[in-house]
Amino acid sequence: MQDRPTAAELLEAIAELLEKQVLPAIQGPLQHQVRVAGNLARILEREARLLPELDASEASLLRGVLGEEDDDRDLADLSRALVRKLDSEDVDAVLERKSHAALLEIVRGKLSIDKPGYDTYDFAEELDA
Amino acid sequence: MSAADDTRAGLARFLAVHWDEDVDVSELGVASAGARRRNVLFEATRAGGESLRLVATIIPNAAIQVMPMEVEASTLRAARAAGAPAPELVAVSEEVEYVGGPLFITRRVDGETIPRRVLRTIDAHPGLGSRVATQCGEALAEIHRVAGDAVHPDLPRQPEPIRMALAGVRQLLDGLLQPSPTFSLALRWLEKHRPPEPDRLTLVHGDFRNGNLIIGEDGLRAVLDWEVAHLGDPMEDAGWLCQRMWRFRNDALEVGGLGSRADLRKGYEAAGGTFDDARFRWWKIMSTLKWGAGLAGQAAAHLDGTVRSVVMAASGRRIAEMEYDLLMLLSPAYRD
């Protein structure tokens, strides 16, 4: 076990340095890059806290869609297996619906790390029936 | 001599040849300096004393040119002749000897182009956003009036825009470092619901969006960046304009965060266009998928060393946004 600060706490410290001290001290195109770097540190801070649980949930959702509960493939393989399936002819409306529901949950998980709040917009007004 | 002095002298030499008289160039400013092209604002004073406020668009490296300058310049002329607010062309040259690369010069149009500043201007003027969205519809209809016989013969043509878009995006997806099941599901939907090829090809701007528009307090003043224009399906422009990426957090306003689709349609139809909802929806989803694959491509360009940049790397972490948008746009098809 590593000593404190944790990865998340260190990344938060890096984000604070970039945003509060470096950004106000620089000019020009570098500003944009530093702003992006600060945001990446925030993303990684959330990732350090949230990823283990999200990965476990993603694997279980993918296994559910693929229909093999005791599948011991890792996450990347499971994801590739679903891609192969969706790219093939071997897909019916049920699998499409199950994939859609599972992928939406998986993507909401990714957004909770990459861009919290992005999924509050629901497109209701612009969806044609 | 500084780089700015070189550019100033080069522009003066070029315009002196173009107008066949002495020209003085002053008040140089750089409006934007991307890797692909540079926009330089300047003032040219002609021999008779007349002063013109101009913009030079310069390709610093002719090797990465997307389209010959003469083709882009002739597209500006054709769009303008059809009534679209394209900047007025002054001169064009493929010669690299003046400013280090091919260039064209247009009349300068004042106003805001940076999306967040555009949206701030809109916020400060009630009714302006809806007016701009309507004007976007008019401008698109005007652009789409331009038919194949009115453009430069070298303008890229997509004789079967639907088939070509599907093939293009499939190729992008095949090249992904990390395949995305969401992108595969979206491509499946696009293939299953492909509309018939359009009955006529028109000029398509190709990147008509908040960010390539000049906006003032009086509304839409000009449409910029015609380098990916082509002959294709007119509804491609409407779909691209309305993807969520260009709303800059003003999500409820489908047209670039400016106005509603009803505003856009009103302008489009008033200017003689036919707005096709099913085709629009297909292109909006296609555009979102294409941009998603593009973001993955930017991350890949960082990882393989083509362009090492924290900004390109960060694009990989925006893929989830496009996946979310796609899944939401597809949700009516997969509701229980």
Side-chain angles (χ1 to χ4, degrees):
Chain A
M1 190 180 190
Q2 267 294 0
D3 302 308
R4 295 279 296 271
T6 62
E9 288 162 344
L10 287 171
L11 286 159
E12 194 178 14
I14 294 172
E16 283 171 7
L17 168 75
L18 293 172
E19 289 163 1
K20 293 185 184 147
Q21 291 172 324
V22 180
L23 252 190
I26 56 172
Q27 298 273 319
L30 195 58
Q31 266 189 338
H32 179 56
Q33 300 191 48
V34 169
R35 202 172 290 121
V36 170
N39 187 44
L40 286 176
R42 296 272 175 209
I43 289 174
L44 293 175
E45 182 268 322
R46 291 189 290 270
E47 181 162 314
R49 282 190 287 116
L50 305 173
L51 192 64
E53 203 174 314
L54 285 170
D55 272 356
S57 134
E58 177 170 349
S60 135
L61 284 161
L62 289 173
R63 277 189 214 104
V65 176
L66 292 166
E68 294 160 54
E69 296 303 331
D70 52 357
D71 196 323
D72 59 359
R73 283 179 291 187
D74 70 13
L75 192 48
D77 282 344
L78 288 167
S79 179
R80 267 192 292 272
L82 182 55
V83 166
R84 267 198 304 279
K85 196 144 197 152
L86 291 172
D87 288 347
S88 75
E89 295 305 308
D90 179 27
V91 182
D92 58 14
V94 176
L95 184 88
E96 283 183 346
R97 261 207 305 280
K98 278 168 73 180
S99 300
H100 181 269
L103 290 169
L104 192 53
E105 197 170 335
I106 290 168
V107 168
R108 284 187 195 276
K110 293 206 288 186
L111 286 170
S112 71
I113 291 174
D114 293 334
K115 194 148 187 174
Y118 190 84
D119 59 354
T120 50
Y121 178 62
D122 69 0
F123 286 80
E125 298 297 315
E126 64 189 274
L127 296 178
D128 314 303
Chain B
M1 215 160 71
S2 73
D5 287 337
D6 282 347
T7 303
R8 188 198 317 262
L11 289 171
R13 263 191 303 127
F14 171 55
L15 285 173
V17 171
H18 181 74
W19 284 323
D20 193 21
E21 63 185 36
D22 283 342
V23 177
D24 185 52
V25 166
S26 61
E27 193 221 334
L28 224 56
V30 175
S32 66
R36 288 176 301 106
R37 44 171 64 204
R38 204 151 58 93
N39 287 312
V40 177
L41 311 178
F42 66 101
E43 193 162 314
T45 308
R46 301 187 60 165
E50 185 196 3
S51 255
L52 299 171
R53 301 174 70 244
L54 303 173
V55 186
T57 298
I58 301 169
I59 308 235
N61 176 358
I64 55 163
Q65 195 167 357
V66 173
M67 173 188 285
M69 279 311 206
E70 181 47 53
V71 178
E72 186 170 345
S74 107
T75 304
L76 289 178
R77 278 192 222 105
R80 212 177 149 79
E88 185 183 341
L89 189 75
V90 174
V92 56
S93 173
E94 301 290 339
E95 303 293 330
V96 301
E97 61 176 342
Y98 297 111
V99 288
L103 78 158
F104 65 76
I105 292 174
T106 52
R107 294 265 190 171
R108 198 190 312 173
V109 179
D110 291 315
E112 302 292 351
T113 56
I114 298 166
R116 288 193 197 290
R117 293 174 62 165
V118 166
L119 292 180
R120 223 175 293 147
T121 305
I122 298 288
D123 283 345
H125 299 84
L128 181 58
S130 162
R131 183 154 83 244
V132 171
T134 304
Q135 290 172 320
C136 283
E138 291 163 2
L140 282 179
E142 286 151 0
I143 293 168
H144 299 159
R145 274 180 210 156
V146 180
D149 53 5
V151 297
H152 196 286
D154 291 342
L155 188 77
R157 268 156 216 266
Q158 301 184 350
E160 297 169 287
I162 303 295
R163 187 187 61 76
M164 288 176 77
L166 283 168
V169 81
R170 197 178 302 118
Q171 195 180 0
L172 289 176
L173 296 191
D174 285 344
L176 294 187
L177 291 177
Q178 193 179 337
S180 154
T182 296
F183 289 174
S184 291
L185 187 68
L187 182 57
R188 257 194 104 71
W189 185 91
L190 286 166
E191 280 176 337
K192 206 154 107 190
H193 297 86
R194 60 193 286 173
E197 299 293 348
D199 19 306
R200 69 187 191 100
L201 297 184
T202 71
L203 179 62
V204 171
H205 179 282
D207 197 11
F208 193 108
R209 62 172 174 91
N210 189 355
N212 283 334
L213 308 174
I214 300 185
I215 307 290
E217 292 170 13
D218 53 340
L220 176 66
R221 291 179 180 166
V223 180
L224 303 173
D225 248 328
W226 295 73
E227 67 176 324
V228 292
H230 54 270
L231 284 175
D233 183 343
M235 279 296 114
E236 178 190 345
D237 271 336
W240 182 259
L241 165 64
C242 289
Q243 66 162 310
R244 186 185 177 189
M245 181 61 65
W246 314 131
R247 300 180 205 168
F248 302 93
R249 294 188 201 163
N250 242 359
D251 291 321
L253 295 173
E254 197 175 350
V255 184
L258 305 162
S260 69
R261 196 195 311 172
D263 296 326
L264 181 76
R265 176 203 301 271
K266 189 171 82 183
Y268 197 73
E269 289 175 348
T274 306
F275 199 95
D276 180 332
D277 280 296
R279 207 174 265 286
F280 163 80
R281 175 163 187 242
W282 190 88
W283 278 111
K284 186 161 76 162
I285 293 173
M286 169 56 84
S287 301
T288 307
L289 178 58
K290 207 168 121 185
W291 191 243
L295 289 170
Q298 289 182 5
H302 166 80
L303 292 170
D304 71 16
T306 314
V307 189
R308 290 293 288 179
S309 144
V310 78
V311 177
M312 300 283 269
S315 293
R317 293 309 188 90
R318 302 201 65 184
I319 294 169
E321 296 172 31
M322 311 314 290
E323 290 180 331
Y324 175 78
D325 292 351
L326 282 169
L327 291 166
M328 294 306 284
L329 290 169
L330 293 176
S331 58
Y334 301 119
R335 239 171 239 147
D336 280 322

